[in-house]
Amino acid sequence: MLEQELKCLITKPTYDALINRFSPKFTILQENYFYDTEQLDFLRHGLTVRVRIEDRGGPILQVKKKLSKKDRGVSRKDEFECFIKNVPNFIEVSNVGKLLGEHIDGEKRAFKLGLLTTERSLLFMENNCVFYIDKCEYFDIIDYELEIEFKNSKVKDDFLMKFPIKDIVSMGKYKRFLKRYLKHNK
């Protein structure tokens, strides 16, 4: 499935203002367990590999493959997923390759790097555009993110004109998590 989205870090006051303005339609809890090899082979191949459990189901093995470099904070990825029985400590790299339909060079096993929890709230949906706001916790960090998944960029652009986000910092959950992971595991 093709995924096109804009993710931007926001401040706590911006998060609170958006929550108050839109009164989220629903909120779900997610546990995201990230995986990679010791040599970060998945990252090197433009992949994010995680197991996600939501309060409404899971676990699901999800693999996201970057299709192109970000353009003004917008990322385009192919997303593959399948249900699994549990949250493993290790994932065979060959199984990720099978899910993608390709061979992945590098080590044979990826290990669980850790956990990032997300409280995800749906702000609204409009014309094939979904607006989420996330509160993420990992290691010793709490941060906030606006995520806009879209097929129609006009709706996204109109929203950002009405609610401008200053100094858009576009960094996905895995990159933020990995930055902190590497700091803690030097």
Side-chain angles (χ1 to χ4, degrees):
M1 173 175 79
L2 177 64
E3 178 181 77
Q4 182 170 263
E5 61 189 8
L6 171 68
K7 293 183 177 191
C8 46
L9 288 170
I10 56 176
T11 64
K12 173 83 163 91
T14 299
Y15 173 87
D16 291 339
L18 289 170
I19 291 283
N20 290 333
R21 167 67 173 85
F22 290 101
S23 301
K25 310 309 174 238
F26 67 82
T27 298
I28 60 171
L29 299 176
Q30 300 172 332
E31 294 178 359
N32 299 286
Y33 297 90
F34 291 106
Y35 294 81
D36 212 327
T37 65
E38 286 187 23
Q39 300 303 312
L40 302 176
D41 293 316
F42 291 154
L43 180 67
R44 192 169 37 86
H45 285 280
L47 302 174
T48 298
V49 178
R50 70 180 173 207
V51 172
R52 174 175 279 174
I53 299 173
E54 294 182 347
D55 54 7
R56 61 183 183 186
I60 301 171
L61 172 62
Q62 296 180 319
V63 179
K64 292 186 178 194
K65 181 180 181 181
K66 185 179 1 177
L67 296 176
S68 58
K69 292 199 180 279
K70 286 186 180 177
D71 179 21
R72 291 177 288 160
V74 174
S75 67
R76 296 181 37 137
K77 298 177 181 178
D78 260 339
E79 187 173 69
F80 305 85
E81 58 185 37
C82 65
F83 285 96
I84 58 176
K85 292 180 182 178
N86 57 23
V87 178
N89 289 322
F90 295 94
I91 292 178
E92 298 298 325
V93 172
S94 61
N95 289 339
V96 172
K98 286 177 191 171
L99 190 60
L100 294 171
E102 61 186 63
H103 175 75
I104 300 173
D105 294 330
E107 299 175 49
K108 297 195 183 303
R109 292 180 116 191
F111 63 96
K112 183 171 35 175
L113 302 176
L115 171 66
L116 178 147
T117 59
T118 302
E119 184 178 296
R120 168 164 280 193
S121 298
L122 173 66
L123 294 181
F124 66 94
M125 299 187 313
E126 182 181 322
N127 295 333
N128 289 318
C129 203
V130 183
F131 294 78
Y132 295 108
I133 196 161
D134 295 341
K135 175 183 176 184
C136 301
E137 296 184 43
Y138 51 104
F139 301 107
D140 55 349
I141 294 288
I142 296 176
D143 63 26
Y144 304 90
E145 175 183 76
L146 172 66
E147 183 173 316
I148 306 170
E149 295 179 4
F150 63 95
K151 292 183 175 53
N152 178 345
S153 61
K154 182 179 180 340
V155 175
K156 167 194 61 86
D157 294 340
D158 289 349
F159 175 85
L160 292 173
M161 290 295 287
K162 290 179 195 170
F163 302 96
I165 308 293
K166 293 180 182 172
D167 302 323
I168 290 180
V169 175
S170 179
M171 184 184 296
K173 289 175 183 68
Y174 179 55
K175 289 254 175 106
R176 297 190 326 257
F177 172 90
L178 190 57
K179 183 178 176 181
R180 212 64 187 167
Y181 171 82
L182 293 172
K183 181 180 178 182
H184 282 277
N185 292 285
K186 286 184 177 182

